[in-house]
């Protein structure tokens, strides 16, 4: 099946190919003979009711010294592409939201966008967990200092984090009696002007923050447990955590099967569930990672599973 695929991503010259999941997807798309058109966020524009972009034909190579070649620049409607992979990293800000509106115009003209633009807007990676309270530790989202202090009083140790960042940025662990509590709350809530999430601290973080990858609502049977470095409570690889692959546990499968049907209904073909101990903590839908690490450790090809799914969706549309 001949497919033209566009990818909206951060600057390809700055990625780390050894751990970049977008790069893994592009390698698989190229292996299938698909034409790949590279776009950055600033290349997109809207004219009338059609979204366009300046785009360049992309070739990729799995070598650390030279992993991409760009050529054949053109400006064209996005809906001339069969598929667009939306792979921009957060922050999830207004510019990100505006970009989803442009991609939605392409979708309305017949292009498959992965993940669905409306779902990228609706499924905030922190707040989306509220759809599955049976899977989550006690959680509070508020701007109120006093409510967070009451939550801290009830649970003794909590995690505080903003709603629109990634990679462990601005995540704090706070104990009851911590003298820095008020300044942390002032910083995160911007003195009561920004919503902040509080979650009961789950001590099993010492065994890793497990990333479970989901393809069209079904889990990859292995997770990457991201182990915090000494002195840290964040397992994120971007915060220095170490990735250790492991088979999914029974509870991991339970959580995946609770969340999976909703992902499928919302057109979220590729997602990453974050699980600590027995609890779901985040649902990553913007640019989930860990494909390359799991592929290496378990001789998988997760991108092939995803592209098989995408091919079937395109066949159904045709």
């Amino acid at each position: 099946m001949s497919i033209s695929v566009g990818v909206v991503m951060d600057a390809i010259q700055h990625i780390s190919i050894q751990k970049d999941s977008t790069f893994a997807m592009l390698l698989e798309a190229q292996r299938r003979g698909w034409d790949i058109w590279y776009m950055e966020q600033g290349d997109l524009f809207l004219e009338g009711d059609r979204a366009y972009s300046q785009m360049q034909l992309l070739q990729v190579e799995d070598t650390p010294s030279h992993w991409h070649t760009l050529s054949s620049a053109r400006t064209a409607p996005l809906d001339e592409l069969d598929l667009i992979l939306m792979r921009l990293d957060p922050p999830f800000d207004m510019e990100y939201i505006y970009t989803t509106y442009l991609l939605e115009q392409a979708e309305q003209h017949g292009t498959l966008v992965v993940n669905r633009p409306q779902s990228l807007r609706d499924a905030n990676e922190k707040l989306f967990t509220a759809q599955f309270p049976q899977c989550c530790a006690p959680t509070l989202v508020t701007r109120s200092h006093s409510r967070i202090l009451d939550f801290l009083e009830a649970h003794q140790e909590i995690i505080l984090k903003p709603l629109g960042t990634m990679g462990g940025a601005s995540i704090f662990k706070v104990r009851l009696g911590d003298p820095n509590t008020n300044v942390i709350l002032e910083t995160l809530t911007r003195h009561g002007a920004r919503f902040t999430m509080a979650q009961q601290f789950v001590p099993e973080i010492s065994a890793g923050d497990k990333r479970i990858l989901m393809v069209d609502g079904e889990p990859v049977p292995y997770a990457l447990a991201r182990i915090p470095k000494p002195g840290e409570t964040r397992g994120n690889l971007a915060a220095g955590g170490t990735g250790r692959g492991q088979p999914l546990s029974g509870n991991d499968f339970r959580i995946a099967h609770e969340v999976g049907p909703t992902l499928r209904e919302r057109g979220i073909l590729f997602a990453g569930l974050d699980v600590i101990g027995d609890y779901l903590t985040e649902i990553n839908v913007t640019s989930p990672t860990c494909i390359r690490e799991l592929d290496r450790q378990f001789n998988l090809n997760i991108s092939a599973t995803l592209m098989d799914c995408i091919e079937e969706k395109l066949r159904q549309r045709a």
Side-chain angles (χ1 to χ4, degrees):
M1 188 174 184
S2 178
I3 294 173
S4 59
V5 53
V7 58
V8 182
M9 61 183 291
D10 298 296
I12 193 168
Q13 65 268 28
H14 298 312
I15 67 173
S16 173
I17 67 170
Q18 294 303 310
K19 61 180 183 178
D20 194 279
S21 291
T22 305
F23 188 73
M25 295 177 193
L26 298 178
L27 286 170
E28 178 60 24
Q30 181 174 274
R31 188 188 68 79
R32 294 173 182 232
W34 299 359
D35 291 334
I36 303 171
W37 294 93
Y38 169 83
M39 297 168 279
E40 296 181 18
Q41 191 172 23
D43 295 325
L44 278 62
F45 65 97
L46 183 72
E47 188 169 328
D49 70 338
R50 294 183 84 184
Y52 296 77
S53 184
Q54 178 178 297
M55 56 186 77
Q56 291 177 273
L57 195 62
L58 171 66
Q59 291 184 308
V60 288
E61 186 176 349
D62 200 3
T63 58
S65 58
H66 181 72
W67 60 87
H68 71 286
T69 301
L70 291 168
S71 59
S72 303
R74 64 170 181 156
T75 298
L78 292 180
D79 55 71
E80 289 187 359
L81 300 167
D82 298 307
L83 163 71
I84 297 174
L85 300 172
M86 172 53 163
R87 292 289 300 174
L88 284 176
D89 285 340
F92 187 88
D93 54 14
M94 287 307 301
E95 288 300 307
Y96 191 103
I97 290 174
Y98 298 148
T99 301
T100 68
Y101 284 124
L102 269 62
L103 293 173
E104 197 165 47
Q105 289 302 112
E107 181 183 55
Q108 290 174 2
H109 283 85
T111 298
L112 176 63
V113 182
V114 178
N115 288 314
R116 183 180 294 163
Q118 180 181 346
S119 294
L120 290 174
R121 293 194 298 273
D122 291 349
N124 175 272
E125 300 188 332
K126 311 296 193 295
L127 288 173
F128 194 26
T129 58
Q131 301 290 316
F132 312 98
Q134 70 277 20
C135 299
C136 300
T139 301
L140 171 74
V141 176
T142 183
R143 295 181 176 190
S144 168
H145 288 203
S146 62
R147 286 192 177 92
I148 296 175
L149 291 173
D150 289 344
F151 189 80
L152 176 59
E153 179 78 31
H155 297 289
Q156 304 293 302
E157 286 187 305
I158 63 174
I159 293 292
L160 294 169
K161 52 189 173 183
L163 298 178
T165 59
M166 62 168 283
S170 301
I171 292 179
F172 294 88
K173 176 186 175 186
V174 179
R175 292 187 179 91
L176 187 64
D178 188 327
N180 294 308
T181 299
N182 284 325
V183 71
I184 291 171
L185 297 183
E186 290 165 7
T187 299
L188 285 177
T189 69
R190 293 180 181 166
H191 296 272
R194 183 172 70 174
F195 284 106
T196 295
M197 174 174 277
Q199 292 175 318
Q200 180 186 42
F201 175 68
V202 181
E204 287 83 357
I205 183 61
S206 61
D209 179 355
K210 290 178 284 188
R211 167 61 54 85
I212 301 171
L213 295 179
M214 304 285 289
V215 177
D216 198 22
E218 293 296 328
V220 174
Y222 300 93
L224 192 74
R226 296 160 297 173
I227 314 296
K229 66 182 181 181
E232 263 284 4
T233 56
R234 300 173 299 169
N236 310 75
L237 301 182
T242 301
R244 183 181 304 157
Q246 56 187 240
L248 297 193
S249 69
N251 187 67
D252 295 336
F253 276 112
R254 178 187 68 83
I255 291 173
H257 292 146
E258 293 273 0
V259 178
T262 300
L263 297 177
R264 194 178 303 113
E265 290 166 10
R266 290 175 177 249
I268 300 172
L269 267 63
F270 187 64
L273 311 184
D274 289 350
V275 173
I276 302 175
D278 292 333
Y279 298 110
L280 175 69
T281 61
E282 293 187 17
I283 303 173
N284 295 268
V285 301
T286 53
S287 56
T289 60
C290 298
I291 285 179
R292 302 222 77 186
E293 293 88 346
L294 287 171
D295 280 356
R296 279 193 298 270
Q297 293 190 37
F298 297 104
N299 194 29
L300 305 175
N301 189 343
I302 296 167
S303 296
T305 303
L306 175 61
M307 297 307 163
D308 287 344
C309 172
I310 286 171
E311 279 193 304
E312 181 57 30
K313 300 289 183 186
L314 291 171
R315 284 194 191 96
Q316 292 171 5
R317 288 181 168 222

